[in-house]
Amino acid sequence: MVSQMAPDTDIRDNLEKVKARIAAAAAEAGRSAAAVTLVAIAKSHPAAAIRQALEAGHRVFGENRVQEAEAKWPALKAKYPDLQLHLVGGLQRNKVKRAVALFDAIETIDNPRLARAVAAEIACSGRRPSCFVQVNTGDEPQKGGVKPADADAFIAGCRDDIGLAIAGLMCVPPLADEPAPHFALLREIAKRNGVECLSMGMSGDFETAIRFGATHVRVGTAIFGERPAMPADRG
Ligand SMILES: *Cc1c(COP(=O)(O)O)cnc(C)c1O
């Protein structure tokens, strides 16, 4: 499902505003703005909207479904070979081959069979997407991610048993919660496991996430405008 872009959506302007807010939040936290990567989440938005962001110089994007990404991104990648694409939605094992072929980062590794499949596909394809472990910081039954209590063992298993390097951790806090404790928990898990990157913070809370050390903020609505409501299916 692809939304119609509002004619007055000025994506270039929105990007500038979000980047200014990132810079201000980083400065306030005593961090460098360059240490925070803005991942522009383009799910449900058409290639025309993405092109506006590319023409404005933006290069890091995210999608939540493999199939939708395959329809939009190969042509854009051909034109902008330096763009980076992150998968931020759940990944089914039967789509691992396609995901490794298309994405430069996979942020949703959350079970050993998936981790093994990604490691095997990396070995045989020669592609090396950065891999993030998604942590279900709110322990929500319907949400992807490893439970916080299982995170240390899972990260160690990826590294030591499966041979999958873990570049970062990712979380999506429960909608109804104050996000700060979730960001603090993710930071703590990363710190004790020596994991470098933290993907946390969305349109409504990325400044808070930056305060808690986010290295990647995933912002959709504040850049591309509202999306039509979509089921949160795995792709
Ligand atoms: C859609 C989505 C985002 C972006 O959300 P906004 O509120 O539109 O900024 C970030 N992360 C994930 C995992 C998403 O699915």
PDB file of all heavy atoms in Angstrom, residues 108-135:
ATOM      1  N   THR A 108      16.629  -6.401  12.795  1.00  0.00           N
ATOM      2  CA  THR A 108      15.594  -7.158  13.492  1.00  0.00           C
ATOM      3  C   THR A 108      15.951  -8.629  13.705  1.00  0.00           C
ATOM      4  O   THR A 108      15.083  -9.490  13.681  1.00  0.00           O
ATOM      5  CB  THR A 108      14.269  -7.047  12.696  1.00  0.00           C
ATOM      6  OG1 THR A 108      14.538  -7.340  11.307  1.00  0.00           O
ATOM      7  CG2 THR A 108      13.688  -5.650  12.805  1.00  0.00           C
ATOM      8  N   ILE A 109      17.225  -8.904  13.946  1.00  0.00           N
ATOM      9  CA  ILE A 109      17.620 -10.280  14.267  1.00  0.00           C
ATOM     10  C   ILE A 109      17.094 -10.584  15.676  1.00  0.00           C
ATOM     11  O   ILE A 109      17.400  -9.861  16.627  1.00  0.00           O
ATOM     12  CB  ILE A 109      19.164 -10.422  14.260  1.00  0.00           C
ATOM     13  CG1 ILE A 109      19.772  -9.921  12.942  1.00  0.00           C
ATOM     14  CG2 ILE A 109      19.582 -11.853  14.584  1.00  0.00           C
ATOM     15  CD1 ILE A 109      19.530 -10.774  11.748  1.00  0.00           C
ATOM     16  N   ASP A 110      16.283 -11.628  15.802  1.00  0.00           N
ATOM     17  CA  ASP A 110      15.698 -11.869  17.132  1.00  0.00           C
ATOM     18  C   ASP A 110      15.486 -13.342  17.476  1.00  0.00           C
ATOM     19  O   ASP A 110      14.817 -13.638  18.471  1.00  0.00           O
ATOM     20  CB  ASP A 110      14.395 -11.080  17.315  1.00  0.00           C
ATOM     21  CG  ASP A 110      13.278 -11.571  16.395  1.00  0.00           C
ATOM     22  OD1 ASP A 110      13.521 -12.468  15.561  1.00  0.00           O
ATOM     23  OD2 ASP A 110      12.156 -11.044  16.523  1.00  0.00           O
ATOM     24  N   ASN A 111      16.053 -14.253  16.686  1.00  0.00           N
ATOM     25  CA  ASN A 111      15.995 -15.659  17.103  1.00  0.00           C
ATOM     26  C   ASN A 111      17.143 -16.421  16.443  1.00  0.00           C
ATOM     27  O   ASN A 111      17.650 -16.003  15.389  1.00  0.00           O
ATOM     28  CB  ASN A 111      14.622 -16.273  16.809  1.00  0.00           C
ATOM     29  CG  ASN A 111      14.372 -16.419  15.328  1.00  0.00           C
ATOM     30  OD1 ASN A 111      14.880 -17.346  14.696  1.00  0.00           O
ATOM     31  ND2 ASN A 111      13.626 -15.488  14.760  1.00  0.00           N
ATOM     32  N   PRO A 112      17.569 -17.516  17.065  1.00  0.00           N
ATOM     33  CA  PRO A 112      18.764 -18.215  16.581  1.00  0.00           C
ATOM     34  C   PRO A 112      18.621 -18.763  15.162  1.00  0.00           C
ATOM     35  O   PRO A 112      19.584 -18.734  14.390  1.00  0.00           O
ATOM     36  CB  PRO A 112      18.938 -19.368  17.584  1.00  0.00           C
ATOM     37  CG  PRO A 112      18.228 -18.920  18.809  1.00  0.00           C
ATOM     38  CD  PRO A 112      17.091 -18.062  18.358  1.00  0.00           C
ATOM     39  N   ARG A 113      17.432 -19.252  14.800  1.00  0.00           N
ATOM     40  CA  ARG A 113      17.288 -19.800  13.445  1.00  0.00           C
ATOM     41  C   ARG A 113      17.423 -18.698  12.409  1.00  0.00           C
ATOM     42  O   ARG A 113      18.023 -18.898  11.351  1.00  0.00           O
ATOM     43  CB  ARG A 113      15.940 -20.517  13.319  1.00  0.00           C
ATOM     44  CG  ARG A 113      15.873 -21.746  14.223  1.00  0.00           C
ATOM     45  CD  ARG A 113      14.517 -22.412  14.150  1.00  0.00           C
ATOM     46  NE  ARG A 113      14.376 -23.186  12.928  1.00  0.00           N
ATOM     47  CZ  ARG A 113      13.202 -23.649  12.470  1.00  0.00           C
ATOM     48  NH1 ARG A 113      12.089 -23.376  13.127  1.00  0.00           N
ATOM     49  NH2 ARG A 113      13.156 -24.360  11.366  1.00  0.00           N
ATOM     50  N   LEU A 114      16.887 -17.524  12.710  1.00  0.00           N
ATOM     51  CA  LEU A 114      17.038 -16.381  11.796  1.00  0.00           C
ATOM     52  C   LEU A 114      18.510 -15.950  11.732  1.00  0.00           C
ATOM     53  O   LEU A 114      19.053 -15.709  10.651  1.00  0.00           O
ATOM     54  CB  LEU A 114      16.160 -15.218  12.268  1.00  0.00           C
ATOM     55  CG  LEU A 114      16.274 -13.918  11.455  1.00  0.00           C
ATOM     56  CD1 LEU A 114      15.841 -14.135  10.006  1.00  0.00           C
ATOM     57  CD2 LEU A 114      15.423 -12.808  12.102  1.00  0.00           C
ATOM     58  N   ALA A 115      19.149 -15.882  12.888  1.00  0.00           N
ATOM     59  CA  ALA A 115      20.563 -15.487  12.929  1.00  0.00           C
ATOM     60  C   ALA A 115      21.419 -16.452  12.110  1.00  0.00           C
ATOM     61  O   ALA A 115      22.303 -16.025  11.353  1.00  0.00           O
ATOM     62  CB  ALA A 115      21.053 -15.434  14.383  1.00  0.00           C
ATOM     63  N   ARG A 116      21.140 -17.757  12.245  1.00  0.00           N
ATOM     64  CA  ARG A 116      21.885 -18.758  11.455  1.00  0.00           C
ATOM     65  C   ARG A 116      21.653 -18.581   9.971  1.00  0.00           C
ATOM     66  O   ARG A 116      22.579 -18.689   9.161  1.00  0.00           O
ATOM     67  CB  ARG A 116      21.459 -20.176  11.858  1.00  0.00           C
ATOM     68  CG  ARG A 116      22.134 -20.677  13.096  1.00  0.00           C
ATOM     69  CD  ARG A 116      21.777 -22.124  13.411  1.00  0.00           C
ATOM     70  NE  ARG A 116      21.925 -22.356  14.842  1.00  0.00           N
ATOM     71  CZ  ARG A 116      23.094 -22.477  15.457  1.00  0.00           C
ATOM     72  NH1 ARG A 116      24.220 -22.430  14.745  1.00  0.00           N
ATOM     73  NH2 ARG A 116      23.167 -22.635  16.757  1.00  0.00           N
ATOM     74  N   ALA A 117      20.409 -18.322   9.599  1.00  0.00           N
ATOM     75  CA  ALA A 117      20.090 -18.170   8.174  1.00  0.00           C
ATOM     76  C   ALA A 117      20.781 -16.932   7.602  1.00  0.00           C
ATOM     77  O   ALA A 117      21.294 -16.951   6.482  1.00  0.00           O
ATOM     78  CB  ALA A 117      18.575 -18.081   7.990  1.00  0.00           C
ATOM     79  N   VAL A 118      20.806 -15.853   8.372  1.00  0.00           N
ATOM     80  CA  VAL A 118      21.470 -14.628   7.904  1.00  0.00           C
ATOM     81  C   VAL A 118      22.976 -14.866   7.797  1.00  0.00           C
ATOM     82  O   VAL A 118      23.604 -14.476   6.804  1.00  0.00           O
ATOM     83  CB  VAL A 118      21.149 -13.437   8.839  1.00  0.00           C
ATOM     84  CG1 VAL A 118      22.022 -12.228   8.516  1.00  0.00           C
ATOM     85  CG2 VAL A 118      19.665 -13.055   8.731  1.00  0.00           C
ATOM     86  N   ALA A 119      23.548 -15.529   8.795  1.00  0.00           N
ATOM     87  CA  ALA A 119      24.994 -15.808   8.755  1.00  0.00           C
ATOM     88  C   ALA A 119      25.343 -16.673   7.545  1.00  0.00           C
ATOM     89  O   ALA A 119      26.346 -16.428   6.856  1.00  0.00           O
ATOM     90  CB  ALA A 119      25.434 -16.496  10.053  1.00  0.00           C
ATOM     91  N   ALA A 120      24.524 -17.664   7.273  1.00  0.00           N
ATOM     92  CA  ALA A 120      24.787 -18.558   6.138  1.00  0.00           C
ATOM     93  C   ALA A 120      24.686 -17.791   4.821  1.00  0.00           C
ATOM     94  O   ALA A 120      25.504 -17.979   3.913  1.00  0.00           O
ATOM     95  CB  ALA A 120      23.788 -19.725   6.154  1.00  0.00           C
ATOM     96  N   GLU A 121      23.708 -16.913   4.736  1.00  0.00           N
ATOM     97  CA  GLU A 121      23.518 -16.157   3.493  1.00  0.00           C
ATOM     98  C   GLU A 121      24.652 -15.143   3.301  1.00  0.00           C
ATOM     99  O   GLU A 121      25.100 -14.908   2.181  1.00  0.00           O
ATOM    100  CB  GLU A 121      22.150 -15.463   3.515  1.00  0.00           C
ATOM    101  CG  GLU A 121      21.769 -14.776   2.226  1.00  0.00           C
ATOM    102  CD  GLU A 121      21.830 -15.679   0.991  1.00  0.00           C
ATOM    103  OE1 GLU A 121      21.580 -16.898   1.116  1.00  0.00           O
ATOM    104  OE2 GLU A 121      22.141 -15.168  -0.099  1.00  0.00           O
ATOM    105  N   ILE A 122      25.131 -14.564   4.394  1.00  0.00           N
ATOM    106  CA  ILE A 122      26.283 -13.656   4.306  1.00  0.00           C
ATOM    107  C   ILE A 122      27.494 -14.428   3.781  1.00  0.00           C
ATOM    108  O   ILE A 122      28.203 -13.969   2.882  1.00  0.00           O
ATOM    109  CB  ILE A 122      26.564 -13.003   5.684  1.00  0.00           C
ATOM    110  CG1 ILE A 122      25.504 -11.943   5.974  1.00  0.00           C
ATOM    111  CG2 ILE A 122      27.973 -12.419   5.739  1.00  0.00           C
ATOM    112  CD1 ILE A 122      25.578 -11.337   7.372  1.00  0.00           C
ATOM    113  N   ALA A 123      27.699 -15.621   4.328  1.00  0.00           N
ATOM    114  CA  ALA A 123      28.859 -16.430   3.914  1.00  0.00           C
ATOM    115  C   ALA A 123      28.785 -16.785   2.435  1.00  0.00           C
ATOM    116  O   ALA A 123      29.788 -16.738   1.732  1.00  0.00           O
ATOM    117  CB  ALA A 123      28.935 -17.693   4.764  1.00  0.00           C
ATOM    118  N   CYS A 124      27.591 -17.123   1.944  1.00  0.00           N
ATOM    119  CA  CYS A 124      27.571 -17.589   0.554  1.00  0.00           C
ATOM    120  C   CYS A 124      27.338 -16.462  -0.447  1.00  0.00           C
ATOM    121  O   CYS A 124      27.700 -16.583  -1.607  1.00  0.00           O
ATOM    122  CB  CYS A 124      26.637 -18.783   0.369  1.00  0.00           C
ATOM    123  SG  CYS A 124      24.936 -18.372   0.188  1.00  0.00           S
ATOM    124  N   SER A 125      26.791 -15.319  -0.002  1.00  0.00           N
ATOM    125  CA  SER A 125      26.551 -14.229  -0.965  1.00  0.00           C
ATOM    126  C   SER A 125      27.727 -13.272  -1.042  1.00  0.00           C
ATOM    127  O   SER A 125      27.887 -12.545  -2.027  1.00  0.00           O
ATOM    128  CB  SER A 125      25.304 -13.434  -0.556  1.00  0.00           C
ATOM    129  OG  SER A 125      25.565 -12.710   0.638  1.00  0.00           O
ATOM    130  N   GLY A 126      28.529 -13.223   0.026  1.00  0.00           N
ATOM    131  CA  GLY A 126      29.604 -12.237   0.065  1.00  0.00           C
ATOM    132  C   GLY A 126      29.115 -10.853   0.448  1.00  0.00           C
ATOM    133  O   GLY A 126      29.908  -9.939   0.616  1.00  0.00           O
ATOM    134  N   ARG A 127      27.813 -10.672   0.583  1.00  0.00           N
ATOM    135  CA  ARG A 127      27.306  -9.377   1.068  1.00  0.00           C
ATOM    136  C   ARG A 127      27.418  -9.355   2.583  1.00  0.00           C
ATOM    137  O   ARG A 127      27.368 -10.391   3.228  1.00  0.00           O
ATOM    138  CB  ARG A 127      25.851  -9.172   0.613  1.00  0.00           C
ATOM    139  CG  ARG A 127      25.781  -8.920  -0.883  1.00  0.00           C
ATOM    140  CD  ARG A 127      24.631  -8.020  -1.335  1.00  0.00           C
ATOM    141  NE  ARG A 127      23.955  -7.253  -0.322  1.00  0.00           N
ATOM    142  CZ  ARG A 127      24.082  -5.929  -0.174  1.00  0.00           C
ATOM    143  NH1 ARG A 127      24.867  -5.227  -0.953  1.00  0.00           N
ATOM    144  NH2 ARG A 127      23.400  -5.303   0.781  1.00  0.00           N
ATOM    145  N   ARG A 128      27.595  -8.158   3.138  1.00  0.00           N
ATOM    146  CA  ARG A 128      27.816  -8.059   4.580  1.00  0.00           C
ATOM    147  C   ARG A 128      26.945  -7.005   5.231  1.00  0.00           C
ATOM    148  O   ARG A 128      27.442  -5.975   5.703  1.00  0.00           O
ATOM    149  CB  ARG A 128      29.282  -7.686   4.882  1.00  0.00           C
ATOM    150  CG  ARG A 128      30.293  -8.774   4.615  1.00  0.00           C
ATOM    151  CD  ARG A 128      31.519  -8.607   5.518  1.00  0.00           C
ATOM    152  NE  ARG A 128      32.022  -9.899   5.914  1.00  0.00           N
ATOM    153  CZ  ARG A 128      31.568 -10.590   6.949  1.00  0.00           C
ATOM    154  NH1 ARG A 128      30.631 -10.097   7.738  1.00  0.00           N
ATOM    155  NH2 ARG A 128      32.068 -11.764   7.229  1.00  0.00           N
ATOM    156  N   PRO A 129      25.641  -7.178   5.266  1.00  0.00           N
ATOM    157  CA  PRO A 129      24.815  -6.187   5.960  1.00  0.00           C
ATOM    158  C   PRO A 129      25.183  -6.143   7.449  1.00  0.00           C
ATOM    159  O   PRO A 129      25.513  -7.174   8.036  1.00  0.00           O
ATOM    160  CB  PRO A 129      23.380  -6.708   5.768  1.00  0.00           C
ATOM    161  CG  PRO A 129      23.525  -8.157   5.455  1.00  0.00           C
ATOM    162  CD  PRO A 129      24.846  -8.308   4.752  1.00  0.00           C
ATOM    163  N   SER A 130      25.157  -4.950   8.034  1.00  0.00           N
ATOM    164  CA  SER A 130      25.319  -4.839   9.483  1.00  0.00           C
ATOM    165  C   SER A 130      24.112  -5.480  10.145  1.00  0.00           C
ATOM    166  O   SER A 130      22.991  -5.297   9.683  1.00  0.00           O
ATOM    167  CB  SER A 130      25.334  -3.372   9.920  1.00  0.00           C
ATOM    168  OG  SER A 130      26.349  -2.686   9.269  1.00  0.00           O
ATOM    169  N   CYS A 131      24.352  -6.202  11.228  1.00  0.00           N
ATOM    170  CA  CYS A 131      23.237  -6.875  11.897  1.00  0.00           C
ATOM    171  C   CYS A 131      23.014  -6.302  13.285  1.00  0.00           C
ATOM    172  O   CYS A 131      23.950  -6.147  14.065  1.00  0.00           O
ATOM    173  CB  CYS A 131      23.507  -8.373  11.980  1.00  0.00           C
ATOM    174  SG  CYS A 131      23.431  -9.143  10.347  1.00  0.00           S
ATOM    175  N   PHE A 132      21.767  -5.972  13.563  1.00  0.00           N
ATOM    176  CA  PHE A 132      21.341  -5.482  14.864  1.00  0.00           C
ATOM    177  C   PHE A 132      20.413  -6.518  15.483  1.00  0.00           C
ATOM    178  O   PHE A 132      19.606  -7.126  14.778  1.00  0.00           O
ATOM    179  CB  PHE A 132      20.544  -4.180  14.725  1.00  0.00           C
ATOM    180  CG  PHE A 132      21.324  -2.950  14.333  1.00  0.00           C
ATOM    181  CD1 PHE A 132      22.121  -2.924  13.192  1.00  0.00           C
ATOM    182  CD2 PHE A 132      21.223  -1.787  15.089  1.00  0.00           C
ATOM    183  CE1 PHE A 132      22.812  -1.767  12.826  1.00  0.00           C
ATOM    184  CE2 PHE A 132      21.907  -0.621  14.729  1.00  0.00           C
ATOM    185  CZ  PHE A 132      22.700  -0.617  13.598  1.00  0.00           C
ATOM    186  N   VAL A 133      20.497  -6.662  16.792  1.00  0.00           N
ATOM    187  CA  VAL A 133      19.549  -7.504  17.519  1.00  0.00           C
ATOM    188  C   VAL A 133      18.405  -6.625  18.016  1.00  0.00           C
ATOM    189  O   VAL A 133      18.631  -5.599  18.671  1.00  0.00           O
ATOM    190  CB  VAL A 133      20.242  -8.206  18.705  1.00  0.00           C
ATOM    191  CG1 VAL A 133      19.211  -8.838  19.639  1.00  0.00           C
ATOM    192  CG2 VAL A 133      21.223  -9.259  18.192  1.00  0.00           C
ATOM    193  N   GLN A 134      17.183  -7.018  17.677  1.00  0.00           N
ATOM    194  CA  GLN A 134      16.026  -6.297  18.220  1.00  0.00           C
ATOM    195  C   GLN A 134      15.716  -6.835  19.604  1.00  0.00           C
ATOM    196  O   GLN A 134      15.634  -8.054  19.812  1.00  0.00           O
ATOM    197  CB  GLN A 134      14.802  -6.465  17.306  1.00  0.00           C
ATOM    198  CG  GLN A 134      13.595  -5.671  17.824  1.00  0.00           C
ATOM    199  CD  GLN A 134      12.384  -5.712  16.895  1.00  0.00           C
ATOM    200  OE1 GLN A 134      12.449  -6.256  15.785  1.00  0.00           O
ATOM    201  NE2 GLN A 134      11.289  -5.127  17.353  1.00  0.00           N
ATOM    202  N   VAL A 135      15.570  -5.914  20.558  1.00  0.00           N
ATOM    203  CA  VAL A 135      15.236  -6.294  21.932  1.00  0.00           C
ATOM    204  C   VAL A 135      13.828  -5.785  22.231  1.00  0.00           C
ATOM    205  O   VAL A 135      13.520  -4.603  22.025  1.00  0.00           O
ATOM    206  CB  VAL A 135      16.252  -5.712  22.941  1.00  0.00           C
ATOM    207  CG1 VAL A 135      15.887  -6.141  24.362  1.00  0.00           C
ATOM    208  CG2 VAL A 135      17.678  -6.164  22.602  1.00  0.00           C
TER     209      VAL A 135
END
